[in-house]
Amino acid sequence: MNEQERNLRWYNLAMMAFVSVWGFGNVVNNFANQGLTVVVSWVLMIALYFVPYALMVGELGSVFRESKGGVSSWIKGTFGPTLAYFAGWTYWVVHIPYLAQKPQAALIALGWTVKQDGNFIKGMDPLIAQLLTLAVFLFFLWVASRGITSLKLIGTIAGTSVFVMSLLYVVLMLAAPAIRGIQPATTSFEFKNMMPEFNFSYFTTLSMLVFAVGGAEKISPYVNNMKNPSKSFPKGMIALAMMVAVSALLGSVAMAMMFDANNIPADLKMNGQYYAFQMLGEYYGVGKLFIIIYALANLLAQISALVFSIDAPLKVLLADGDRKFIPKALTKTNKYGAPINGYMMTAILVGILIIVPALGIGDMNSLFDWLLQLNSVVMPMRYLWVFLAFIGLKKAADKYKSDYKFVKNDKIAMTIGIWCFAFTAFACIMGMFPNSVEAFTGEWWFQVSLNVATPFILIGLGFILPVIAKRKNDMSNLEEASNISA
């Protein structure tokens, strides 16, 4: 790469990463989980987990600068093709719960766009609501299968609008007491009220924090486009951490000013983002303007994310996967270039995950909260592969050279990698225990069973494809041998 191509500055990288990693939902969901104690949780999470995670990603991106498969390529370089396949499989399969929730989120946004309230699916029978959710998913699966890509541009514009409005919310809410004379809903912001109790209930909320700060591996390829990456990349990541910290802390304080941290609405995860803009419009005398703009932008962003997440992760799995592990039939494409059998596999898995929970979870608010919590358990599983790749990199440190090193001492670097791996695994396991319903009731056990079974089933399915691929490859080899002998 010549010097002209190394044109990214540290502040360019920091802003790109911030837009990619951060969202207003991260603030709302974690405030709903922890209340005011989330302030201290954010500080600990960013300092002890997010900063080292982001810096590790930079070193992996620098070492494997020519790779195109992301995490699976890192694992292939450090542990070989078999684990690389499972890394690729994990990256794809963790999107199944994500795809099961996106139609829900789109329907909620639609309700707020049209009626400016959160009752569109909230009061529905869960099975009816989930059948409607399934219909929405299947429609946009069909849209994706037609190779329609224009939604990505619409989604980018809408997503940027949501992001800008989220920052605007924080600024206007913090200024509301001075400008509009609003009295904060939470009356005490003393440090003792921000200090969490490190008990079992608290540990069940960690996976949501990990889920919020994950995804930094998306920016790993850009380390090679930087001037002087050994200095610029860590500077950019520290700037990213500071922006995330400021956004998280001020956003949490803004939420506490609007909602009583000691009396959080039960449906805050489902409707909190919309309540925030609805009330902000009332504070500033603009009526429904804020909520309509935010709901419409979020609706388009959710639809775009749904279509993109159906298509992109699957194509990464099938395009970069070793043919020893992936059956050829899955790579079959239609005239639009969509892997149609892969889409069928996606439809079956997502359909099951949409319908089955509705049979045992009593209302849509609980169902939404459960699916969000399941995402916080399953999505961070892909980060485990990032830390495993980094550990493998440090084990064979003499073999690899890079323009940038996270920590010069390889043993210290490996220890930090092991810490991040262990913490992520711990957070995923603890996240399997719901804190949103009364413990040890029938619904609690049903949710725990689903939370435990779903990751094992999704990852376990990855063991089936190599068996099928081997059988098909053996049959093809026999047919070729027969044709040659004949």
Side-chain angles (χ1 to χ4, degrees), residues 221-373:
Y222 297 106
V223 70
N224 300 310
N225 293 97
M226 301 193 73
K227 290 186 176 181
N228 194 4
S230 62
K231 291 184 179 180
S232 297
F233 188 84
K235 190 185 291 186
M237 290 301 97
I238 296 298
L240 166 64
M242 290 175 64
M243 287 192 290
V244 169
V246 169
S247 180
L249 296 175
L250 294 183
S252 299
V253 171
M255 290 294 293
M257 291 171 65
M258 182 173 276
F259 302 97
D260 184 354
N262 300 308
N263 189 25
I264 295 172
D267 65 338
L268 196 67
K269 290 179 185 174
M270 177 185 278
N271 289 311
Q273 299 177 58
Y274 305 101
Y275 287 151
F277 283 96
Q278 184 182 49
M279 294 171 70
L280 195 67
E282 294 171 2
Y283 291 168
Y284 282 89
V286 295
K288 297 179 179 180
L289 179 64
F290 287 155
I291 183 59
I292 291 173
I293 294 172
Y294 183 82
L296 180 59
N298 206 26
L299 171 62
L300 296 174
Q302 296 293 339
I303 290 171
S304 173
L306 174 59
V307 174
F308 185 71
S309 297
I310 287 170
D311 188 65
L314 182 61
K315 283 185 176 177
V316 169
L317 172 68
L318 300 180
D320 295 331
D322 194 314
R323 291 297 167 262
K324 291 190 300 183
F325 305 106
I326 296 177
K328 187 177 179 181
L330 273 184
T331 63
K332 178 185 175 183
T333 58
N334 62 12
K335 63 181 181 180
Y336 303 103
I340 197 65
N341 290 335
Y343 275 34
M344 289 294 294
M345 180 172 67
T346 304
I348 292 168
L349 293 176
V350 173
I352 292 170
L353 198 53
I354 286 175
I355 298 300
V356 170
L359 304 177
I361 297 179
D363 63 87
M364 274 309 297
N365 188 56
S366 296
L367 185 53
F368 181 90
D369 286 357
W370 167 76
L371 198 47
L372 180 64
Q373 188 67 24

Side-chain angles (χ1 to χ4, degrees), residues 288-457:
K288 297 179 179 180
L289 179 64
F290 287 155
I291 183 59
I292 291 173
I293 294 172
Y294 183 82
L296 180 59
N298 206 26
L299 171 62
L300 296 174
Q302 296 293 339
I303 290 171
S304 173
L306 174 59
V307 174
F308 185 71
S309 297
I310 287 170
D311 188 65
L314 182 61
K315 283 185 176 177
V316 169
L317 172 68
L318 300 180
D320 295 331
D322 194 314
R323 291 297 167 262
K324 291 190 300 183
F325 305 106
I326 296 177
K328 187 177 179 181
L330 273 184
T331 63
K332 178 185 175 183
T333 58
N334 62 12
K335 63 181 181 180
Y336 303 103
I340 197 65
N341 290 335
Y343 275 34
M344 289 294 294
M345 180 172 67
T346 304
I348 292 168
L349 293 176
V350 173
I352 292 170
L353 198 53
I354 286 175
I355 298 300
V356 170
L359 304 177
I361 297 179
D363 63 87
M364 274 309 297
N365 188 56
S366 296
L367 185 53
F368 181 90
D369 286 357
W370 167 76
L371 198 47
L372 180 64
Q373 188 67 24
L374 179 65
N375 269 287
S376 79
V377 171
V378 174
M379 270 292 190
M381 290 169 61
R382 60 184 173 151
Y383 313 149
L384 291 171
W385 292 105
V386 175
F387 303 128
L388 185 64
F390 186 77
I391 292 166
L393 183 68
K394 294 295 109 178
K395 284 183 70 176
D398 295 338
K399 180 180 173 184
Y400 299 103
K401 303 294 180 186
S402 77
D403 293 337
Y404 159 69
K405 291 191 78 170
F406 161 43
V407 175
K408 290 185 178 180
N409 187 301
D410 292 325
K411 289 184 179 179
I412 294 175
M414 184 185 290
T415 302
I416 297 173
I418 292 170
W419 149 254
C420 287
F421 183 96
F423 180 79
T424 305
F426 175 74
C428 289
I429 292 168
M430 292 305 299
M432 293 177 179
F433 301 97
N435 65 352
S436 57
V437 294
E438 186 180 347
F440 306 116
T441 60
E443 185 172 320
W444 188 87
W445 283 112
F446 183 74
Q447 290 192 28
V448 170
S449 300
L450 288 176
N451 289 345
V452 173
T454 302
F456 278 100
I457 292 171

Side-chain angles (χ1 to χ4, degrees), residues 85-86 89 325 457-466:
Y85 157 72
F86 282 103
W89 172 264
F325 305 106
I457 292 171
L458 293 179
I459 300 300
L461 289 172
F463 287 89
I464 297 175
L465 292 190

Side-chain angles (χ1 to χ4, degrees), residues 173-203:
M173 188 60 227
L174 292 175
I179 298 176
R180 306 297 295 175
I182 303 300
Q183 294 298 315
T186 303
T187 56
S188 176
F189 286 85
E190 295 178 21
F191 180 74
K192 65 179 182 179
N193 296 327
M194 299 182 187
M195 195 65 193
E197 294 182 26
F198 297 103
N199 52 26
F200 183 86
S201 178
Y202 175 78
F203 291 136

